[in-house]
Structure formats: C-alpha cells, structure tokens
Amino acid sequence: MVTAGPAALVGLLIDPRSKFVPGKGHSRLYLFGKEGLYRSDDGCATWTDIRGNLPKTTVVEVVLGPAGAADKSVIVANCAPKWADKDKKAFVGGIYRSDDDGKTWTRKMTGLEAAVGQCGQVGREGRFRLANSRSRPEILYYAFGFAGVYTSSDLGESWRGLCHAPLTWHRIEKNSVGDVDHFMLRLKGGNCTLAHHSSGGAILGLAVAPSDPNVVLWTHNSYIVGTFDGGTTWGTLAAETGRAFAPDRWPEVDVAPSDHTHLMRGRGLSLIVPKQVAFDPFDPNRTLAFGYMDIGLRISRDGGDWWEWNYDRTCMARSDSGSVNAVLFDPAVQGRLYIGTGTWGVGDVFRSDDLGRTFTRLSLAQLREKAGRDVRFAVERLLIDPQSPPDRRTIYAAIDRGRSSKGIGGVHKSVDGGATWTECSNGLGPVDVKTLVMDERCPSTLYAGTYGGENGGGLFKTSDCGANWAQLAPDKIGAFTADCVALCGERADALYVVAYPPGKAGFWNDRILFRSDDAGKTWRVLKQAFISSVAVNPYNPDWVYITIPRGMHYRSRGGLLRSRDGGNNWQPIDDGVIVEGASRSRIAIDRLDPRRLIHYSLYGVWIGFDPEAPNR
C-alpha cells in the first residue's frame, strides 16, 4: 500500500511491454520519489515496495532496459546523490540497476564517481538526470553539473563522457555588498558550442528521442542544447550567434563566442522573464532595450533582429548584470540610459552615456547600508522629471523590499542626477512599489501602485514631488503588480489602473480594471478578469489596451485586447501572439509613435502596429 503524500511521490512510469487492457491501460506501472519506489502489476489496484537495498535518497527517475531473463524487467533507477563525507567527496546515490523486477539492486557508477563528486551539485535533487531511448534501451545517458553528459552502451556497466565544454569561473571585483563575485565563461575548445552565458545554473532536464538514441537534448534554465550524432558534437538550439559586438570584454581569458561577446538571435524557443522595455527616443525604430529578471539588459540596434547582452564588468556584479527590472532612456540626452537592478542581489541604479556599452553606478549607498549584507531589495521602476536640468536630473526610484525584513521599500529620489538619494515615502509606509508613473505635464504629481505593507497595498498619489503620499480609493483598489497604472499624456486626469480588490491579493485571483477621469477622485469598474497589464494611447484616453493571459485556469478567453470606447467594448488584436505567462504578460506603447505596440511575455517579444490608433 502506498501511503506517502503527493509531494513525496512525483514520478510515474508505464511499462509499454506489460499487458494492455482496453479502457484501463497497461497493467505494470512504477511510482517513485522521495519516499521510495513502488511497482503495480494490476493497473494501480495494488502496489509493492521495490526499493530494496537502494539508498535512502530521492528516486529522481526510473527507466526500463531490455526485457530480461524469464521475462523479468530490467530497471535502472537514478537516485539523487547526497554526501556521506563531503570532505572526502564520498557520496551515496547515483545509478542503480535491477535485473529481477526490483528485488535486488546493484550500483553502476564505474567512470562516474569522480565527476559526480566534483560537479558541485551533490545534495541538490533534480540536478541529476537519467534517460534512454525506447528503440535502444540499453544505451543510457546521465547528465549533471554545468555541461556534463555521460553515456553507457551496456546498461551502466561502464560510462564515458560525451559533452565537453571548457568552462571557467572568472573572478571580478567585489560586488555591491562586498563579496567577491564571479562570471562563468566558456573557453575555446571542446565539442559543445554553448552560446548562452551561465550564472551558475546546472543541467535541469534530459531527453532522448524514442526512435533514435543518437538524438539527445538537455536543458538549462536559459538554454537548450542538443546532439544529433550520439554526442560527437553539441550545440545551442534555441538561438544563433552573430558577429562580435564586445570582443575585448574578457581579454585575459580565451573565451569562445557566446552572448558575453557576440550578438544573439532567438529561433522562437525561449523562456524569459521580461520586466520592462524602453525605446530610444533618438532612434525609436531601431534601438530598444529590455530588462529581464534572469538575463539582464538586452539591447537591439536593428529593430529587434539581433541582441546584445549589455553590462559593464568594471562596476557591475553578476547579480547586477543578470537582473534588470527598470529601463529608462533620457528623453533629452542622446545615448543616456538608466537601469535599475536587484531581485537576486542588492539593487542599485546605473547610468550609461553611450547607449549601454559602459555604465556608472549611481549608488543607493544609504539603502545598502540600511539593508546590510543579508538583505535584498530591487529597484523596480525609474522615472525622470523631464523639466529637470539634463546635468542634474531629478530621478525617482521605486523600491521592492524583496527579502528585506527591515522595512526597506517605498520611493527614493535624487535631485543631482543620482549622486545622492533621499527617501520620499511619507504616507506610503514600508511597501513594495511595483509601478510608478508621472504626469509629465505636471511632474510634481506621481502615482505609485504598491503591494504589501500594513494596508496590503494600494494606489497612492503625491502632488508635491513625493514629499507626501495619500492613498486613493482604499475601499475599492487593493494591491498591485507591475505595469498596471496608465495615464493619458494629453489628458493626465484620465487614469487606468489594474488592481486586486482590497484584501484579495493572490496569484490566481482576478484583478479589476478601473478608470478615473478626475485624477483619482472617483472611479468606475470596467472589467474584472486575470488582467496583467494596461496601456493607454497618449493622445486619446478612450483608446486602451490590456493583456489577459490565456489558459484553462484563467476563466476567460484572454489575449491582447483593445478598446476604442474607454473600456466599454473590447476587441482581440492578438493574432499570432502568445499571451501567456500570468503577470509577466505585458503591453507597452511607443510614445513617439503610439501606433507601434510591443507585447512581451515569458515566451517572447512581439512588435505590432495598430494603424487606426491616434498618432497626434
């Protein structure tokens, strides 16, 4: 009898060679996970514990070998390695095989012991993957570490390495909290052309084609790598490498082409975490910048075809370059770009005066001092007062507390271009500021959408440059996610917000689209659904767009929707666009040409054109 809970047994394997009963399926199944390994011979009616002499670690995967003697099943189990003696690099777990239906097990690690012990992943469940092909089940593949793939052609009796990608951790200067930081770089040589950078992640998935054991794929959290010749050569599949744009970024290391130094272009297979997009006001048709949670700042200088990974190793730690939440071009200074970082490390603000090629840290020193070494926060949004002098910009930074327990959040302000900062959160309290917008015709007026804090989050307004904030409609408008406040530039009293009802914040909960035509004094409800972002045409407050991620759990059709009558009626305009990714699905408008739209989600970036949209 299986008594373990659902979190303890997470894998199920059906034996395709077992008896098949129409309407019921195959009779033999295997169930495995943290609590062991079980077999059913009667279609799940009863279960037998076949863990036997396996080590007491999680059974991550089970694969079937060829049929054994006397019709006995040959079973191979991947047991997550864990340390027995870390100092001596001794561990238990690994690959085990049973030739008698699971009664006894033999460890099969010849040729793997040293590699597993040195890979840096022992003790991390899910970082060791096992797979084989139905057409040649005796050929096994075992993957772990940063690019380690091994194969056995004799059901685990011996193993040899297949994937060779020379990698090195290269030390850089201390990061923002004083620790020595490193980048992982791919060196020239080997048989694996890893085109993407790695910030320390390891192999997460492994698969072999059922019809051809020479076709093998493995995944990392930011790329997919494959071989079609049994491991002789390996290459990145989701993107291609272009010309070098920063060939001298790492002159002291003999690096191979990758996104550290070369342009990249996707092939339509991606999983990204976009945070914000910005168009260069001096070249909006060609230059756009994206901030991502995991892959940093990416800039395209050809309208979105090829992309650079932009960071400056002289002032950015790996956590700074890998997590960019806010992206902002200066509207009056050509080449000037601001970014806000954070999420995985202590956040900060950086400025570039050469379109992202080099950066200067505009240090939020007092915030880092207050945070301390073990506290993280993120700069979620940045705003510039367009009426401030270009050489002494007034800049606002919206802060998300992240994992902070010291009340760091709110809004911070600089009146000297980022040289010094002061907090301007009176009335906000210690909250996560998810979105921040400004009435650019009256830049003393700002709106902040917040999450958390004593009131659970809400919409706040200041009319005195952040000196004092007041909450708007606390009985109607609750917590916010990002990009859910939109002002019409020509009529800034027309305001759209997307927020949870008060006290109803939660990932799966619907949000409400509100509209105000009197700068937040009164509100009316336009739509309730799983709305993830809103944008309004800068010339016509009735021309508005929203995103509703599609999916069976969202209880609505979803998609990218447009209204031309202030939210009374909506039309889908998302032909060919993947509107998924929960709160990460966003819509933005090019302010210089409002007919140009950009939609971005976990699955890619789309640039569209709405020819009917008001353009002046």
Side-chain angles (χ1 to χ4, degrees), residues 532 546-551 554 557-561 573-582 585-586 599-603 606:
S532 57
I546 59 174
T547 52
I548 304 176
R550 284 191 289 261
Y554 293 139
R557 175 202 176 274
L560 175 57
L561 306 179
I573 57 169
D574 53 26
D575 185 28
V577 176
I578 301 175
V579 188
E580 295 287 1
S585 183
R586 312 274 177 81
H599 169 262
Y600 48 105
S601 71
L602 294 178
Y603 305 103
W606 289 261

Side-chain angles (χ1 to χ4, degrees), residues 291-362:
Y292 294 93
M293 180 183 290
D294 294 318
I295 57 175
L297 176 67
R298 304 287 168 142
I299 294 180
S300 173
R301 307 184 195 275
D302 59 7
D305 192 13
W306 292 93
W307 295 83
E308 302 173 4
W309 180 25
N310 299 90
Y311 67 91
D312 189 335
R313 56 176 290 203
T314 66
C315 65
M316 290 181 174
R318 178 162 49 88
S319 55
D320 296 318
S321 63
S323 184
V324 174
N325 311 303
V327 184
L328 178 67
F329 284 101
D330 193 304
V333 182
Q334 189 168 2
R336 181 169 294 175
L337 172 68
Y338 297 88
I339 64 171
T341 68
T343 305
W344 305 125
V346 177
D348 222 325
V349 179
F350 296 85
R351 187 191 75 224
S352 172
D353 291 310
D354 54 10
L355 274 179
R357 294 176 175 87
T358 61
F359 284 87
T360 301
R361 184 187 292 270
L362 307 180

Side-chain angles (χ1 to χ4, degrees), residues 31-112:
L31 188 63
F32 50 91
K34 287 181 179 293
E35 296 300 324
L37 173 58
Y38 299 84
R39 186 189 72 231
S40 175
D41 295 310
D42 51 16
C44 300
T46 60
W47 293 88
T48 301
D49 187 344
I50 61 169
R51 184 168 204 158
N53 61 315
L54 288 176
K56 292 184 178 180
T57 70
T58 297
V59 180
V60 179
E61 277 135 350
V62 172
V63 301
L64 297 176
D71 200 33
K72 297 291 186 181
S73 293
V74 176
I75 313 167
V76 184
N78 172 19
C79 299
K82 69 177 183 180
W83 291 118
D85 189 330
K86 189 172 183 179
D87 293 336
K88 296 181 179 180
K89 300 296 182 182
F91 61 92
V92 297
I95 303 300
Y96 290 75
R97 192 182 84 205
S98 172
D99 297 332
D100 54 9
D101 282 339
K103 293 181 181 179
T104 59
W105 295 88
T106 304
R107 194 165 185 258
K108 301 294 182 180
M109 294 291 287
T110 300
L112 290 174

Side-chain angles (χ1 to χ4, degrees), residues 380 399-402 408-410 428-435 448-460 471 477-482 498-501 503-509 511 583:
E380 282 289 323
I399 307 297
D400 186 321
R401 292 172 299 172
I408 298 172
L428 283 176
V431 296
D432 301 330
V433 180
K434 294 294 187 180
T435 189
T450 70
Y451 191 101
E454 295 179 359
N455 56 15
L459 179 65
F460 291 80
Q471 189 171 5
I477 301 175
F480 279 76
T481 55
V498 176
Y500 294 105
K504 298 291 182 67
F507 184 83
W508 299 114
N509 293 347
R511 297 110 187 230
S583 61

Side-chain angles (χ1 to χ4, degrees), residues 164-500:
H164 308 287
L167 303 171
T168 182
W169 285 100
H170 195 75
R171 175 172 172 161
I172 61 171
E173 74 292 330
K174 291 184 178 180
N175 64 18
S176 56
V177 291
D179 296 325
V180 173
D181 209 343
H182 298 74
F183 277 94
M184 176 175 279
L185 305 174
R186 187 176 74 83
L187 304 179
K188 291 181 180 178
N191 67 341
C192 182
T193 57
L194 289 178
H196 288 275
H197 82 287
S198 171
S199 58
I203 290 175
L204 298 177
L206 177 69
V208 185
S211 60
D212 187 351
N214 292 314
V215 179
V216 186
L217 307 180
W218 59 265
T219 62
H220 175 276
N221 61 6
S222 62
Y223 49 78
I224 180 169
V225 175
T227 180
F228 298 90
D229 54 19
T232 301
T233 58
W234 298 79
T236 303
L237 302 183
E240 58 184 299
T241 305
R243 64 172 177 81
F245 73 92
D248 299 324
R249 178 172 278 173
W250 297 94
E252 68 274 38
V253 186
D254 192 16
V255 296
S258 73
D259 59 357
H260 278 282
T261 55
H262 286 63
L263 297 174
M264 298 291 293
R265 177 167 62 188
R267 291 173 172 159
L269 176 63
S270 61
L271 177 61
I272 56 178
V273 186
K275 299 289 285 189
Q276 193 174 33
V277 61
F279 297 92
D280 180 0
F282 294 91
D283 187 19
N285 293 321
R286 293 182 55 82
T287 304
L288 61 157
F290 256 101
Y292 294 93
M293 180 183 290
D294 294 318
I295 57 175
L297 176 67
R298 304 287 168 142
I299 294 180
S300 173
R301 307 184 195 275
D302 59 7
D305 192 13
W306 292 93
W307 295 83
E308 302 173 4
W309 180 25
N310 299 90
Y311 67 91
D312 189 335
R313 56 176 290 203
T314 66
C315 65
M316 290 181 174
R318 178 162 49 88
S319 55
D320 296 318
S321 63
S323 184
V324 174
N325 311 303
V327 184
L328 178 67
F329 284 101
D330 193 304
V333 182
Q334 189 168 2
R336 181 169 294 175
L337 172 68
Y338 297 88
I339 64 171
T341 68
T343 305
W344 305 125
V346 177
D348 222 325
V349 179
F350 296 85
R351 187 191 75 224
S352 172
D353 291 310
D354 54 10
L355 274 179
R357 294 176 175 87
T358 61
F359 284 87
T360 301
R361 184 187 292 270
L362 307 180
S363 184
L364 291 169
Q366 82 285 1
L367 210 57
R368 293 206 312 277
E369 291 172 2
K370 185 177 181 182
R373 291 178 56 85
D374 300 322
V375 177
R376 302 180 180 184
F377 62 87
V379 179
E380 282 289 323
R381 287 294 178 264
L382 293 169
L383 290 178
I384 290 175
D385 179 349
Q387 297 180 11
S388 60
D391 60 340
R392 293 183 59 84
R393 281 301 200 195
T394 295
I395 308 170
Y396 295 89
I399 307 297
D400 186 321
R401 292 172 299 172
R403 301 180 184 182
S404 171
S405 61
K406 298 183 179 181
I408 298 172
V411 177
H412 291 251
K413 177 182 177 182
S414 174
V415 295
D416 53 13
T420 60
W421 296 82
T422 58
E423 186 171 4
C424 53
S425 303
N426 184 41
L428 283 176
V431 296
D432 301 330
V433 180
K434 294 294 187 180
T435 189
L436 190 66
V437 299
M438 175 186 291
D439 179 353
E440 293 190 356
R441 291 192 168 189
C442 181
S444 61
T445 299
L446 297 90
Y447 297 86
T450 70
Y451 191 101
E454 295 179 359
N455 56 15
L459 179 65
F460 291 80
K461 178 180 180 180
T462 178
S463 300
D464 54 13
C465 302
N468 299 281
W469 295 84
Q471 189 171 5
L472 302 179
D475 57 330
K476 295 182 179 180
I477 301 175
F480 279 76
T481 55
D483 295 334
C484 285
V485 180
L487 275 69
C488 176
E490 292 295 309
R491 261 197 55 194
D493 57 339
L495 179 67
Y496 291 88
V497 302
V498 176
Y500 294 105

